[in-house]
Amino acid sequence: MTEAGKSGEIVRYSYATRVNHWIVAICFILLALSGLALFHPALFWLTQLFGGGPWTRILHPFVGIVWAIAFVLLAAKVWRDNFLNSTDRQWLGHIREVLDNRDDGLPVGKYNAGQKLLFWLIVLCLLGLVATGLCMWRAYFALPVDIVRIASMLHAAFATVLICAIVVHIYAAIWVKGSVRAMTRGTVSDGWAWKHHRLWFRDVTRGQQK
Amino acid sequence: MSLQSLDIIRRSATTTPSPQARGAHAGEVAKLIDVSKCIGCKACQVACMEWNDLRDEVGSCTGSYTNPPDLSSESWTLMRFAEYENPDSGNLEWLIRKDGCMHCADPGCLKACPSPGAIVQYANGIVDFHEENCIGCGYCITGCPFNVPRISKKDSKAYKCTLCSDRVAVGLEPACVKTCPTGAIVFGSKDDMKQHAAERIEDLKSRGFEHAGLYDPAGVGGTHVMYVLHHADKPELYSDLPANPTISAAVGVWKGIAKPLGLLAMAATAAFGFLHYLRRGPSEVDKADEEAARRELENTP
Ligand code: HEM
Ligand code: SF4
């Protein structure tokens, strides 16, 4: 990570990573909408977005596969930065200050402990959703009905956890100003990096200054 | 099929009451299959094909009289033949059971179905699939404790026995009942059928079938297709008829508490974010932060 951005900014995500992220995000939205349409009768009208009930049923698992592959590619890029370490304990100990916008000077690497935990939660949900989703996919798989029953229940449970996790993820992007441009333009301001990810800021700026 | 003269008391994936001004004041209906009277001629299978215009693929013999080998989207009823060596009497018994939808009072298929109105239950107790609303997900198969619904390979819609709801609606008995040459299948109000069954059971008991009894399983609220069995203590003998069928606990959770709880969790998470924003506002990078970053940059080697 030594790309030099314009002065005052730091490169956080490459073009390829940004495209990858938005494929994951769009697939997720489509999955959540089509899945929720079948999850609760009050949301069945969402099938209209996909061309009706049968199309919703047909499309959902295919989008799921694209999502899973895209996520694995994204995860391959970022998983190393998501190992928990001793500074994360400190961050978690100061979670109140973080929530109150008073998190000055906490040592944070490329990702904070909250982001890391969310990452692993999503990985867990991905594995669960793919495994249970394939069991439910009657067009191509025929498993014993007892397995399909448990898979159906767990699929809804994993989906609920994942949707909640992504709501948190999206809210964090809205709350912490200056984050979204990391995934749109690919860069963040020096001040943003210094304030929220100081260890990472030092890491990427060391040795490249003029 | 839509309402016709049969009113609907339950509709899949629907949260408001269904039209029910017209009740089933003559009582709920039931089909009673007296296994002890069945000779396995399959006239009922043929009558079902004829009335419903179903033609399954001609398959091949799998070594049993059970043919076709399984229920399918084009075979809504099937005679299942089991050979049982009775250890008590030493007799070889040919136990023949007419398989098909049991028309549960508490239908797991209807509970599991995500598509509004694809499965309905009429006031008279018949459970019917309305294929025009079916999306082909197969959740009905997941929900059914009797392994009855089948998805068509041609149109991806779910099919099963309708208990000839179209015939019953105009005062006729189901086609299989009409055709049965031995009177093993009878149809009428559920009360009458229970009474008839009681007489049959008494007769069977007097002939030495001490465990004869009625199969009307309480785990699914009773069924609108009932059996008189000579071995009511061992329903599994009849090609794995379940002894205590119930909607599986996993389906119960998935289609019960998970629905409100799941939506609540999602709404609560979103509300938490919204309220947090109202209280604390955004976390912003101000001039001082940019200043500090620049100072630090200037001081790094
Ligand atoms: C972001 C990821 C996903 C979400 C949010 C999600 C959500 C859902 C939800 C809420 C349902 C309805 C369950 C219910 O009715 O209780 C569902 C059904 C289903 N999901 Fe997923 N799912 C995801 C990923 C996947 C994946 C990766 C697969 C498979 C590879 C998959 C396959 C299925 C299948 C087969 C069904 C049954 C309905 C159908 O056939 O369309 N899902 N999903
Ligand atoms: S036997 Fe199966 S398909 Fe028939 S009503 Fe009961 S749950 Fe539905």
Side-chain angles (χ1 to χ4, degrees):
Chain A
M1 278 279 176
T2 50
E3 301 99 323
K6 281 191 225 119
S7 110
E9 34 182 64
I10 301 175
V11 174
R12 193 158 162 91
Y13 294 112
S14 70
Y15 175 59
T17 305
R18 280 176 279 153
V19 171
N20 194 338
H21 173 268
W22 290 113
I23 291 173
V24 169
I26 290 166
C27 285
F28 170 82
I29 304 271
L30 294 175
L31 283 166
L33 293 176
S34 57
L36 286 170
L38 304 189
F39 177 58
H40 198 289
L43 299 174
F44 190 77
W45 59 273
L46 289 169
T47 55
Q48 295 305 319
L49 302 175
F50 301 88
W55 274 115
T56 305
R57 182 263 306 167
I58 292 166
L59 291 174
H60 178 96
F62 288 107
V63 179
I65 287 184
V66 175
W67 172 74
I69 293 171
F71 185 86
V72 167
L73 293 175
L74 186 62
K77 278 243 164 82
V78 301
W79 67 288
R80 255 177 265 248
D81 295 318
N82 280 285
F83 287 129
L84 288 152
N85 56 37
S86 54
T87 57
D88 294 315
R89 197 172 308 232
Q90 198 181 343
W91 188 91
L92 288 171
H94 290 79
I95 187 80
R96 282 225 66 85
E97 283 90 332
V98 174
L99 286 173
D100 293 352
N101 296 338
R102 296 187 279 110
D103 52 328
D104 300 317
L106 286 175
V108 175
K110 185 155 188 189
Y111 299 107
N112 65 42
Q115 292 173 298
K116 290 176 181 177
L117 290 175
L118 202 69
F119 173 80
W120 294 112
L121 185 63
I122 295 171
V123 169
L124 179 78
C125 289
L126 173 110
L127 297 176
L129 282 165
V130 171
T132 56
L134 292 176
C135 292
M136 297 168 76
W137 203 2
R138 290 190 180 271
Y140 300 100
F141 299 93
L143 279 96
V145 70
D146 287 318
I147 291 178
V148 177
R149 285 172 179 152
I150 291 168
S152 304
M153 179 185 71
L154 291 180
H155 195 81
F158 280 122
T160 303
V161 173
L162 181 66
I163 291 172
C164 291
I166 298 301
V167 167
V168 171
H169 174 77
I170 294 171
Y171 174 67
I174 297 171
W175 166 40
V176 181
K177 298 297 170 199
S179 308
V180 174
R181 57 178 280 198
M183 265 309 164
T184 51
R185 300 300 306 122
T187 55
V188 292
S189 76
D190 288 345
W192 185 92
W194 184 85
K195 180 175 163 73
H196 298 300
H197 300 278
R198 200 160 298 170
L199 300 181
W200 174 71
F201 169 82
R202 286 177 186 153
D203 230 29
V204 293
T205 53
R206 183 159 311 139
Q208 74 170 56
Q209 278 316 306
K210 30 243 92 156
Chain B
M1 226 194 321
S2 52
L3 287 175
Q4 301 188 351
S5 61
L6 293 173
D7 261 347
I8 287 170
I9 50 170
R10 241 195 288 197
R11 202 172 173 270
S12 55
T14 304
T15 47
T16 52
S18 299
Q20 46 192 279
R22 297 167 296 183
H25 299 297
E28 294 176 13
V29 297
K31 177 162 81 181
L32 182 69
I33 302 169
D34 185 344
V35 169
S36 68
K37 274 191 180 179
C38 173
I39 56 171
C41 70
K42 305 189 190 182
C44 52
Q45 264 181 239
V46 175
C48 181
M49 285 171 59
E50 284 202 340
W51 178 260
N52 293 300
D53 266 333
L54 298 167
R55 298 293 183 275
D56 208 340
E57 254 173 64
V58 177
S60 46
C61 179
T62 54
S64 152
Y65 274 73
T66 308
N67 185 8
D70 195 10
L71 293 170
S72 76
S73 50
E74 279 86 28
S75 293
W76 296 351
T77 189
L78 175 67
M79 309 310 295
R80 293 192 187 271
F81 295 75
E83 284 154 35
Y84 170 56
E85 252 176 276
N86 193 325
D88 299 330
S89 63
N91 287 341
L92 177 68
E93 297 180 17
W94 211 14
L95 304 179
I96 308 165
R97 176 168 70 88
K98 178 184 179 322
D99 194 11
C101 177
M102 301 295 286
H103 296 271
C104 311
D106 186 12
C109 55
L110 190 152
K111 182 169 191 152
C113 176
S115 184
I119 304 181
V120 299
Q121 185 178 40
Y122 299 117
N124 66 11
I126 294 179
V127 178
D128 220 355
F129 285 9
H130 286 177
E131 278 82 12
E132 73 273 22
N133 295 330
C134 174
I135 65 169
C137 64
Y139 290 5
C140 51
I141 304 172
T142 309
C144 175
F146 293 97
N147 183 24
V148 165
R150 294 289 184 276
I151 303 266
S152 162
K153 291 200 174 60
K154 293 189 202 111
D155 59 21
S156 296
K157 305 289 180 199
Y159 294 92
K160 69 162 191 69
C161 157
T162 66
L163 206 62
C164 284
S165 54
D166 47 352
R167 292 172 57 90
V168 173
V170 294
L172 301 173
E173 74 272 63
C176 55
V177 178
K178 171 101 179 160
T179 207
C180 179
T182 67
I185 319 175
V186 286
F187 181 82
S189 78
K190 180 149 180 176
D191 289 341
D192 287 352
M193 291 305 103
K194 278 182 169 168
Q195 209 177 326
H196 180 69
E199 287 163 19
R200 285 294 306 141
I201 290 161
E202 201 182 294
D203 181 58
L204 283 169
K205 284 190 170 157
S206 76
R207 291 159 187 263
F209 292 102
E210 53 174 327
H211 295 298
L214 178 68
Y215 185 82
D216 178 23
V220 291
T223 52
H224 294 90
V225 170
M226 304 184 292
Y227 292 110
V228 169
L229 304 175
H230 359 46
H231 306 293
D233 55 329
K234 294 184 205 124
E236 300 89 347
L237 294 179
Y238 302 85
S239 307
D240 297 318
L241 182 63
N244 291 305
T246 49
I247 299 177
S248 108
V251 173
V253 170
W254 172 39
K255 290 292 162 175
I257 189 73
K259 292 200 281 186
L261 221 58
L263 290 194
L264 188 74
M266 294 172 211
T269 311
F272 170 81
F274 188 63
L275 294 176
H276 176 263
Y277 201 83
L278 292 189
R279 184 162 176 90
R280 299 290 172 208
S283 165
E284 278 162 325
V285 176
D286 51 27
K287 280 225 169 63
D289 296 317
E290 298 290 357
E291 261 322 296
R294 208 179 39 243
R295 259 202 316 280
E296 195 172 314
L297 279 180
E298 277 156 9
N299 297 335
T300 28

